[in-house]
Amino acid sequence: MAAPLFRRMALLGVGLIGGSMSHAARRGGLVGEIVGHAKSERTRARALELGLCAKMYDNPADAARDADLVVLATPVGAYAALAAAIAPVLKPGTIVTDVGSVKAAVVADVLPHMPPGVDFVPAHPVAGTEHSGPDAGFAELFDNRWTILTPPEGTRPEATEKLATFWRALGARVDIMTPPHHDLVLAVTSHLPHLIAYNIVGTANHLEAVTESEVIKYAAGGFRDFTRIAASDPVMWRDIFLTNGGAVLEMLGRFQEDLSVLTRAIRFKDGETLEKFFTHTRAIRRGVIDAGQADPETAKKK
Ligand code: NAP
């Protein structure tokens, strides 16, 4: 087997994403040793039981000490404090990365703490489920999914290339873009859909004329798919909307304009507009399936 890409990987956060990175890294023999840190004693104990990390530390600096790859894998709201805590122990040549769902705010929070000779290469694996915690991780999460790297200006190209090689070995495909462009793309492909799902599930819950049991009983009519997305982790999503508000508000404006077009078509019984709109959206769904980015189960229902 080839030599590991990194000697010691420190996972700061061992939930769905950190846990999956451990599984996939061990599957491929990509790192010599994996150590970690998590906020609660319960998660630290569970990460050891599951074999996600060989050692778990209650202090993030102890986990990062002597690591050549440090991964921030907590909700993004915790990054600034973690970066400040680990900065004094980071050695030149270390790569620090993250997995956060927003990028411009993360660069602003983390980069100022990085000592000379340490590269911060932000990353976002565009893969996930609605489950959280160390038990939620699995080795195949990143297979054939995209991971976006957003190296800030001044990052050594070798560091970006090494992290790209690592992500490809974890199973992912890799794209590189600027942090603001990432945030705009993800606002429309991920953040806005989550906001709509949270909102529609909330609306159904507030209706007085339809009882809660009816909403659940007839969920297969379409509501069900929104409930899956709206079950996503509340802290993680709070942080995403707090840190990518600008791009989300811009997309929300466009969304409201398009909704007005549909509202008008329904009011004036304009079937042609509705059918044209829905035909176009169906073609987008086919594009997602053809690109291999649909859930295997739902992809069958072409
Ligand atoms: P998760 O399953 O909830 O795990 C979060 C981990 O971070 C847990 O180990 C938690 O420890 C730890 N943690 C939380 N606050 C902390 C703090 N202040 N200090 C130290 N450790 C702390 O979350 P996740 O889904 O893996 O998400 C992690 C990151 O990945 C987020 O930044 C998110 O934006 C990004 N992401 C998520 C998805 C997704 O679908 N879930 C997809 C792509 C990217 P305790 O259990 O002890 O609290």
PDB file of all heavy atoms in Angstrom, residues 13-18 37-40 43 73-76 78-79 82 99-101 124-125 127-129 132-133 233 236 240, ligand 1:
ATOM      1  N   GLY A  13     -14.084  18.111  15.917  1.00  0.00           N
ATOM      2  CA  GLY A  13     -15.483  17.821  15.576  1.00  0.00           C
ATOM      3  C   GLY A  13     -15.532  16.455  14.920  1.00  0.00           C
ATOM      4  O   GLY A  13     -14.884  16.222  13.898  1.00  0.00           O
ATOM      5  N   VAL A  14     -16.277  15.535  15.555  1.00  0.00           N
ATOM      6  CA  VAL A  14     -16.369  14.175  15.000  1.00  0.00           C
ATOM      7  C   VAL A  14     -17.842  13.774  14.878  1.00  0.00           C
ATOM      8  O   VAL A  14     -18.299  12.805  15.472  1.00  0.00           O
ATOM      9  CB  VAL A  14     -15.592  13.125  15.838  1.00  0.00           C
ATOM     10  CG1 VAL A  14     -14.129  13.170  15.539  1.00  0.00           C
ATOM     11  CG2 VAL A  14     -15.841  13.324  17.324  1.00  0.00           C
ATOM     12  N   GLY A  15     -18.565  14.568  14.116  1.00  0.00           N
ATOM     13  CA  GLY A  15     -19.975  14.255  13.851  1.00  0.00           C
ATOM     14  C   GLY A  15     -20.123  13.588  12.502  1.00  0.00           C
ATOM     15  O   GLY A  15     -19.261  12.797  12.104  1.00  0.00           O
ATOM     16  N   LEU A  16     -21.211  13.923  11.797  1.00  0.00           N
ATOM     17  CA  LEU A  16     -21.464  13.304  10.488  1.00  0.00           C
ATOM     18  C   LEU A  16     -20.265  13.464   9.557  1.00  0.00           C
ATOM     19  O   LEU A  16     -19.791  12.482   8.975  1.00  0.00           O
ATOM     20  CB  LEU A  16     -22.707  13.947   9.843  1.00  0.00           C
ATOM     21  CG  LEU A  16     -22.936  13.573   8.383  1.00  0.00           C
ATOM     22  CD1 LEU A  16     -23.328  12.108   8.245  1.00  0.00           C
ATOM     23  CD2 LEU A  16     -24.010  14.459   7.749  1.00  0.00           C
ATOM     24  N   ILE A  17     -19.753  14.706   9.428  1.00  0.00           N
ATOM     25  CA  ILE A  17     -18.711  14.944   8.433  1.00  0.00           C
ATOM     26  C   ILE A  17     -17.342  14.488   8.947  1.00  0.00           C
ATOM     27  O   ILE A  17     -16.631  13.750   8.251  1.00  0.00           O
ATOM     28  CB  ILE A  17     -18.671  16.440   8.031  1.00  0.00           C
ATOM     29  CG1 ILE A  17     -20.042  16.888   7.477  1.00  0.00           C
ATOM     30  CG2 ILE A  17     -17.562  16.693   7.016  1.00  0.00           C
ATOM     31  CD1 ILE A  17     -20.468  16.237   6.198  1.00  0.00           C
ATOM     32  N   GLY A  18     -16.977  14.893  10.168  1.00  0.00           N
ATOM     33  CA  GLY A  18     -15.690  14.446  10.719  1.00  0.00           C
ATOM     34  C   GLY A  18     -15.636  12.926  10.811  1.00  0.00           C
ATOM     35  O   GLY A  18     -14.628  12.296  10.456  1.00  0.00           O
ATOM     36  N   HIS A  37     -11.010  15.970  18.745  1.00  0.00           N
ATOM     37  CA  HIS A  37     -11.528  16.785  19.842  1.00  0.00           C
ATOM     38  C   HIS A  37     -13.017  16.985  19.573  1.00  0.00           C
ATOM     39  O   HIS A  37     -13.432  17.123  18.420  1.00  0.00           O
ATOM     40  CB  HIS A  37     -10.813  18.144  19.871  1.00  0.00           C
ATOM     41  CG  HIS A  37     -11.580  19.205  20.608  1.00  0.00           C
ATOM     42  ND1 HIS A  37     -11.684  19.224  21.985  1.00  0.00           N
ATOM     43  CD2 HIS A  37     -12.302  20.266  20.167  1.00  0.00           C
ATOM     44  CE1 HIS A  37     -12.424  20.258  22.358  1.00  0.00           C
ATOM     45  NE2 HIS A  37     -12.817  20.904  21.266  1.00  0.00           N
ATOM     46  N   ALA A  38     -13.824  16.967  20.627  1.00  0.00           N
ATOM     47  CA  ALA A  38     -15.243  17.333  20.502  1.00  0.00           C
ATOM     48  C   ALA A  38     -15.623  18.037  21.793  1.00  0.00           C
ATOM     49  O   ALA A  38     -14.934  17.920  22.810  1.00  0.00           O
ATOM     50  CB  ALA A  38     -16.113  16.105  20.279  1.00  0.00           C
ATOM     51  N   LYS A  39     -16.742  18.756  21.732  1.00  0.00           N
ATOM     52  CA  LYS A  39     -17.136  19.587  22.875  1.00  0.00           C
ATOM     53  C   LYS A  39     -17.508  18.741  24.092  1.00  0.00           C
ATOM     54  O   LYS A  39     -17.067  19.015  25.208  1.00  0.00           O
ATOM     55  CB  LYS A  39     -18.319  20.465  22.443  1.00  0.00           C
ATOM     56  CG  LYS A  39     -18.666  21.566  23.406  1.00  0.00           C
ATOM     57  CD  LYS A  39     -19.675  22.524  22.791  1.00  0.00           C
ATOM     58  CE  LYS A  39     -20.911  21.781  22.318  1.00  0.00           C
ATOM     59  NZ  LYS A  39     -21.985  22.668  21.867  1.00  0.00           N
ATOM     60  N   SER A  40     -18.301  17.694  23.866  1.00  0.00           N
ATOM     61  CA  SER A  40     -18.827  16.952  25.027  1.00  0.00           C
ATOM     62  C   SER A  40     -18.040  15.663  25.297  1.00  0.00           C
ATOM     63  O   SER A  40     -17.528  15.017  24.373  1.00  0.00           O
ATOM     64  CB  SER A  40     -20.299  16.595  24.786  1.00  0.00           C
ATOM     65  OG  SER A  40     -20.396  15.664  23.737  1.00  0.00           O
ATOM     66  N   THR A  43     -19.503  12.659  23.339  1.00  0.00           N
ATOM     67  CA  THR A  43     -19.056  12.471  21.947  1.00  0.00           C
ATOM     68  C   THR A  43     -17.613  11.986  21.908  1.00  0.00           C
ATOM     69  O   THR A  43     -17.255  11.145  21.085  1.00  0.00           O
ATOM     70  CB  THR A  43     -19.219  13.788  21.152  1.00  0.00           C
ATOM     71  OG1 THR A  43     -20.602  14.092  21.098  1.00  0.00           O
ATOM     72  CG2 THR A  43     -18.678  13.670  19.741  1.00  0.00           C
ATOM     73  N   ALA A  73     -14.274  20.665  11.900  1.00  0.00           N
ATOM     74  CA  ALA A  73     -15.492  19.964  11.456  1.00  0.00           C
ATOM     75  C   ALA A  73     -16.617  20.132  12.477  1.00  0.00           C
ATOM     76  O   ALA A  73     -17.390  19.215  12.730  1.00  0.00           O
ATOM     77  CB  ALA A  73     -15.185  18.485  11.207  1.00  0.00           C
ATOM     78  N   THR A  74     -16.670  21.315  13.083  1.00  0.00           N
ATOM     79  CA  THR A  74     -17.762  21.675  13.993  1.00  0.00           C
ATOM     80  C   THR A  74     -18.703  22.623  13.236  1.00  0.00           C
ATOM     81  O   THR A  74     -18.369  23.050  12.128  1.00  0.00           O
ATOM     82  CB  THR A  74     -17.214  22.430  15.217  1.00  0.00           C
ATOM     83  OG1 THR A  74     -16.695  23.689  14.753  1.00  0.00           O
ATOM     84  CG2 THR A  74     -16.107  21.667  15.914  1.00  0.00           C
ATOM     85  N   PRO A  75     -19.843  23.026  13.812  1.00  0.00           N
ATOM     86  CA  PRO A  75     -20.606  24.112  13.182  1.00  0.00           C
ATOM     87  C   PRO A  75     -19.708  25.344  13.020  1.00  0.00           C
ATOM     88  O   PRO A  75     -18.827  25.579  13.862  1.00  0.00           O
ATOM     89  CB  PRO A  75     -21.741  24.369  14.194  1.00  0.00           C
ATOM     90  CG  PRO A  75     -21.923  23.045  14.891  1.00  0.00           C
ATOM     91  CD  PRO A  75     -20.536  22.467  14.993  1.00  0.00           C
ATOM     92  N   VAL A  76     -19.903  26.112  11.942  1.00  0.00           N
ATOM     93  CA  VAL A  76     -18.945  27.180  11.610  1.00  0.00           C
ATOM     94  C   VAL A  76     -18.847  28.265  12.687  1.00  0.00           C
ATOM     95  O   VAL A  76     -17.816  28.930  12.793  1.00  0.00           O
ATOM     96  CB  VAL A  76     -19.245  27.825  10.228  1.00  0.00           C
ATOM     97  CG1 VAL A  76     -18.985  26.822   9.109  1.00  0.00           C
ATOM     98  CG2 VAL A  76     -20.655  28.351  10.147  1.00  0.00           C
ATOM     99  N   ALA A  78     -18.219  27.956  15.631  1.00  0.00           N
ATOM    100  CA  ALA A  78     -17.175  27.626  16.621  1.00  0.00           C
ATOM    101  C   ALA A  78     -15.764  27.796  16.057  1.00  0.00           C
ATOM    102  O   ALA A  78     -14.774  27.687  16.789  1.00  0.00           O
ATOM    103  CB  ALA A  78     -17.364  26.181  17.109  1.00  0.00           C
ATOM    104  N   TYR A  79     -15.639  28.066  14.760  1.00  0.00           N
ATOM    105  CA  TYR A  79     -14.316  28.053  14.119  1.00  0.00           C
ATOM    106  C   TYR A  79     -13.345  29.095  14.685  1.00  0.00           C
ATOM    107  O   TYR A  79     -12.166  28.800  14.869  1.00  0.00           O
ATOM    108  CB  TYR A  79     -14.443  28.309  12.617  1.00  0.00           C
ATOM    109  CG  TYR A  79     -14.905  27.132  11.785  1.00  0.00           C
ATOM    110  CD1 TYR A  79     -15.328  25.940  12.364  1.00  0.00           C
ATOM    111  CD2 TYR A  79     -14.923  27.219  10.395  1.00  0.00           C
ATOM    112  CE1 TYR A  79     -15.757  24.881  11.579  1.00  0.00           C
ATOM    113  CE2 TYR A  79     -15.341  26.165   9.613  1.00  0.00           C
ATOM    114  CZ  TYR A  79     -15.758  24.998  10.201  1.00  0.00           C
ATOM    115  OH  TYR A  79     -16.176  23.959   9.421  1.00  0.00           O
ATOM    116  N   LEU A  82     -11.832  28.074  17.907  1.00  0.00           N
ATOM    117  CA  LEU A  82     -10.954  26.910  17.735  1.00  0.00           C
ATOM    118  C   LEU A  82      -9.642  27.323  17.071  1.00  0.00           C
ATOM    119  O   LEU A  82      -8.559  26.882  17.489  1.00  0.00           O
ATOM    120  CB  LEU A  82     -11.638  25.839  16.872  1.00  0.00           C
ATOM    121  CG  LEU A  82     -12.736  25.032  17.566  1.00  0.00           C
ATOM    122  CD1 LEU A  82     -13.450  24.145  16.549  1.00  0.00           C
ATOM    123  CD2 LEU A  82     -12.167  24.164  18.692  1.00  0.00           C
ATOM    124  N   VAL A  99     -14.639  22.031   6.824  1.00  0.00           N
ATOM    125  CA  VAL A  99     -15.648  21.380   5.983  1.00  0.00           C
ATOM    126  C   VAL A  99     -16.924  22.215   5.966  1.00  0.00           C
ATOM    127  O   VAL A  99     -17.985  21.728   5.588  1.00  0.00           O
ATOM    128  CB  VAL A  99     -15.960  19.955   6.504  1.00  0.00           C
ATOM    129  CG1 VAL A  99     -14.742  19.059   6.385  1.00  0.00           C
ATOM    130  CG2 VAL A  99     -16.440  19.984   7.960  1.00  0.00           C
ATOM    131  N   GLY A 100     -16.824  23.469   6.392  1.00  0.00           N
ATOM    132  CA  GLY A 100     -18.013  24.303   6.599  1.00  0.00           C
ATOM    133  C   GLY A 100     -18.784  24.596   5.327  1.00  0.00           C
ATOM    134  O   GLY A 100     -18.217  24.660   4.238  1.00  0.00           O
ATOM    135  N   SER A 101     -20.084  24.829   5.499  1.00  0.00           N
ATOM    136  CA  SER A 101     -20.990  25.029   4.364  1.00  0.00           C
ATOM    137  C   SER A 101     -20.971  26.458   3.834  1.00  0.00           C
ATOM    138  O   SER A 101     -21.644  26.743   2.850  1.00  0.00           O
ATOM    139  CB  SER A 101     -22.407  24.660   4.792  1.00  0.00           C
ATOM    140  OG  SER A 101     -22.409  23.401   5.415  1.00  0.00           O
ATOM    141  N   HIS A 124     -15.331  22.423   1.280  1.00  0.00           N
ATOM    142  CA  HIS A 124     -16.742  22.123   1.573  1.00  0.00           C
ATOM    143  C   HIS A 124     -17.157  20.876   0.805  1.00  0.00           C
ATOM    144  O   HIS A 124     -17.352  20.935  -0.407  1.00  0.00           O
ATOM    145  CB  HIS A 124     -17.642  23.306   1.181  1.00  0.00           C
ATOM    146  CG  HIS A 124     -19.095  23.017   1.384  1.00  0.00           C
ATOM    147  ND1 HIS A 124     -20.093  23.725   0.778  1.00  0.00           N
ATOM    148  CD2 HIS A 124     -19.722  22.072   2.151  1.00  0.00           C
ATOM    149  CE1 HIS A 124     -21.269  23.234   1.140  1.00  0.00           C
ATOM    150  NE2 HIS A 124     -21.067  22.225   1.970  1.00  0.00           N
ATOM    151  N   PRO A 125     -17.276  19.741   1.517  1.00  0.00           N
ATOM    152  CA  PRO A 125     -17.805  18.559   0.843  1.00  0.00           C
ATOM    153  C   PRO A 125     -19.318  18.732   0.661  1.00  0.00           C
ATOM    154  O   PRO A 125     -20.044  18.866   1.647  1.00  0.00           O
ATOM    155  CB  PRO A 125     -17.485  17.425   1.824  1.00  0.00           C
ATOM    156  CG  PRO A 125     -17.338  18.074   3.163  1.00  0.00           C
ATOM    157  CD  PRO A 125     -16.957  19.503   2.933  1.00  0.00           C
ATOM    158  N   ALA A 127     -21.984  17.095   0.418  1.00  0.00           N
ATOM    159  CA  ALA A 127     -22.560  15.770   0.660  1.00  0.00           C
ATOM    160  C   ALA A 127     -23.068  15.794   2.084  1.00  0.00           C
ATOM    161  O   ALA A 127     -22.443  16.407   2.943  1.00  0.00           O
ATOM    162  CB  ALA A 127     -21.492  14.696   0.535  1.00  0.00           C
ATOM    163  N   GLY A 128     -24.166  15.146   2.340  1.00  0.00           N
ATOM    164  CA  GLY A 128     -24.642  15.134   3.724  1.00  0.00           C
ATOM    165  C   GLY A 128     -25.923  14.339   3.856  1.00  0.00           C
ATOM    166  O   GLY A 128     -26.461  13.808   2.873  1.00  0.00           O
ATOM    167  N   THR A 129     -26.367  14.235   5.091  1.00  0.00           N
ATOM    168  CA  THR A 129     -27.664  13.639   5.384  1.00  0.00           C
ATOM    169  C   THR A 129     -28.274  14.524   6.470  1.00  0.00           C
ATOM    170  O   THR A 129     -27.624  15.465   6.930  1.00  0.00           O
ATOM    171  CB  THR A 129     -27.540  12.202   5.949  1.00  0.00           C
ATOM    172  OG1 THR A 129     -27.026  12.285   7.283  1.00  0.00           O
ATOM    173  CG2 THR A 129     -26.617  11.330   5.108  1.00  0.00           C
ATOM    174  N   SER A 132     -26.942  13.649  12.518  1.00  0.00           N
ATOM    175  CA  SER A 132     -25.784  14.300  13.131  1.00  0.00           C
ATOM    176  C   SER A 132     -25.124  13.356  14.125  1.00  0.00           C
ATOM    177  O   SER A 132     -25.701  12.352  14.525  1.00  0.00           O
ATOM    178  CB  SER A 132     -26.220  15.537  13.925  1.00  0.00           C
ATOM    179  OG  SER A 132     -27.038  16.350  13.161  1.00  0.00           O
ATOM    180  N   GLY A 133     -23.922  13.750  14.538  1.00  0.00           N
ATOM    181  CA  GLY A 133     -23.240  13.043  15.622  1.00  0.00           C
ATOM    182  C   GLY A 133     -22.308  11.954  15.113  1.00  0.00           C
ATOM    183  O   GLY A 133     -22.331  11.597  13.929  1.00  0.00           O
ATOM    184  N   ASP A 233     -29.746  19.650  11.097  1.00  0.00           N
ATOM    185  CA  ASP A 233     -29.295  20.136  12.409  1.00  0.00           C
ATOM    186  C   ASP A 233     -29.552  21.641  12.625  1.00  0.00           C
ATOM    187  O   ASP A 233     -29.071  22.473  11.851  1.00  0.00           O
ATOM    188  CB  ASP A 233     -27.795  19.863  12.549  1.00  0.00           C
ATOM    189  CG  ASP A 233     -27.326  20.143  13.957  1.00  0.00           C
ATOM    190  OD1 ASP A 233     -27.707  19.376  14.845  1.00  0.00           O
ATOM    191  OD2 ASP A 233     -26.613  21.152  14.169  1.00  0.00           O
ATOM    192  N   MET A 236     -26.259  23.949  13.141  1.00  0.00           N
ATOM    193  CA  MET A 236     -25.496  24.099  11.898  1.00  0.00           C
ATOM    194  C   MET A 236     -26.198  25.079  10.964  1.00  0.00           C
ATOM    195  O   MET A 236     -25.575  25.981  10.401  1.00  0.00           O
ATOM    196  CB  MET A 236     -25.368  22.730  11.229  1.00  0.00           C
ATOM    197  CG  MET A 236     -24.894  22.798   9.806  1.00  0.00           C
ATOM    198  SD  MET A 236     -24.795  21.132   9.108  1.00  0.00           S
ATOM    199  CE  MET A 236     -25.022  21.536   7.381  1.00  0.00           C
ATOM    200  N   ILE A 240     -25.234  28.817   9.344  1.00  0.00           N
ATOM    201  CA  ILE A 240     -25.145  29.060   7.894  1.00  0.00           C
ATOM    202  C   ILE A 240     -25.890  30.347   7.530  1.00  0.00           C
ATOM    203  O   ILE A 240     -25.371  31.198   6.804  1.00  0.00           O
ATOM    204  CB  ILE A 240     -25.693  27.846   7.109  1.00  0.00           C
ATOM    205  CG1 ILE A 240     -24.696  26.685   7.221  1.00  0.00           C
ATOM    206  CG2 ILE A 240     -25.949  28.201   5.642  1.00  0.00           C
ATOM    207  CD1 ILE A 240     -25.190  25.369   6.666  1.00  0.00           C
TER     208      ILE A 240
HETATM  209  P1  NAP B   1     -22.459  17.248  13.707  1.00  0.00           P
HETATM  210  O1  NAP B   1     -22.768  15.873  13.216  1.00  0.00           O
HETATM  211  O2  NAP B   1     -23.472  17.941  14.542  1.00  0.00           O
HETATM  212  O3  NAP B   1     -21.055  17.214  14.480  1.00  0.00           O
HETATM  213  C1  NAP B   1     -20.493  18.369  15.009  1.00  0.00           C
HETATM  214  C2  NAP B   1     -19.272  18.020  15.822  1.00  0.00           C
HETATM  215  O4  NAP B   1     -18.685  19.233  16.290  1.00  0.00           O
HETATM  216  C3  NAP B   1     -19.557  17.186  17.061  1.00  0.00           C
HETATM  217  O5  NAP B   1     -18.486  16.304  17.276  1.00  0.00           O
HETATM  218  C4  NAP B   1     -19.606  18.240  18.174  1.00  0.00           C
HETATM  219  O6  NAP B   1     -19.278  17.738  19.438  1.00  0.00           O
HETATM  220  C5  NAP B   1     -18.528  19.167  17.700  1.00  0.00           C
HETATM  221  N1  NAP B   1     -18.696  20.530  18.248  1.00  0.00           N
HETATM  222  C6  NAP B   1     -19.781  21.328  18.193  1.00  0.00           C
HETATM  223  N2  NAP B   1     -19.534  22.533  18.746  1.00  0.00           N
HETATM  224  C7  NAP B   1     -18.241  22.461  19.176  1.00  0.00           C
HETATM  225  C8  NAP B   1     -17.394  23.373  19.865  1.00  0.00           C
HETATM  226  N3  NAP B   1     -17.800  24.586  20.212  1.00  0.00           N
HETATM  227  N4  NAP B   1     -16.125  22.953  20.160  1.00  0.00           N
HETATM  228  C9  NAP B   1     -15.692  21.745  19.821  1.00  0.00           C
HETATM  229  N5  NAP B   1     -16.458  20.822  19.172  1.00  0.00           N
HETATM  230  C10 NAP B   1     -17.715  21.183  18.872  1.00  0.00           C
HETATM  231  O7  NAP B   1     -22.163  18.244  12.475  1.00  0.00           O
HETATM  232  P2  NAP B   1     -21.785  17.912  10.956  1.00  0.00           P
HETATM  233  O8  NAP B   1     -23.048  17.643  10.204  1.00  0.00           O
HETATM  234  O9  NAP B   1     -20.681  16.926  10.931  1.00  0.00           O
HETATM  235  O10 NAP B   1     -21.313  19.359  10.467  1.00  0.00           O
HETATM  236  C11 NAP B   1     -20.013  19.819  10.754  1.00  0.00           C
HETATM  237  C12 NAP B   1     -19.638  20.876   9.734  1.00  0.00           C
HETATM  238  O11 NAP B   1     -19.792  20.337   8.429  1.00  0.00           O
HETATM  239  C13 NAP B   1     -20.491  22.152   9.781  1.00  0.00           C
HETATM  240  O12 NAP B   1     -19.647  23.271   9.719  1.00  0.00           O
HETATM  241  C14 NAP B   1     -21.339  22.074   8.533  1.00  0.00           C
HETATM  242  O13 NAP B   1     -21.559  23.365   7.989  1.00  0.00           O
HETATM  243  C15 NAP B   1     -20.495  21.222   7.606  1.00  0.00           C
HETATM  244  N6  NAP B   1     -21.251  20.399   6.643  1.00  0.00           N
HETATM  245  C16 NAP B   1     -22.330  19.674   7.043  1.00  0.00           C
HETATM  246  C17 NAP B   1     -23.029  18.920   6.123  1.00  0.00           C
HETATM  247  C18 NAP B   1     -24.249  18.119   6.544  1.00  0.00           C
HETATM  248  O14 NAP B   1     -25.039  17.714   5.696  1.00  0.00           O
HETATM  249  N7  NAP B   1     -24.453  17.862   7.808  1.00  0.00           N
HETATM  250  C19 NAP B   1     -22.603  18.851   4.789  1.00  0.00           C
HETATM  251  C20 NAP B   1     -21.461  19.561   4.420  1.00  0.00           C
HETATM  252  C21 NAP B   1     -20.785  20.337   5.349  1.00  0.00           C
HETATM  253  P3  NAP B   1     -20.451  17.458  20.522  1.00  0.00           P
HETATM  254  O15 NAP B   1     -21.233  16.318  19.962  1.00  0.00           O
HETATM  255  O16 NAP B   1     -19.696  17.156  21.728  1.00  0.00           O
HETATM  256  O17 NAP B   1     -21.266  18.737  20.598  1.00  0.00           O
END
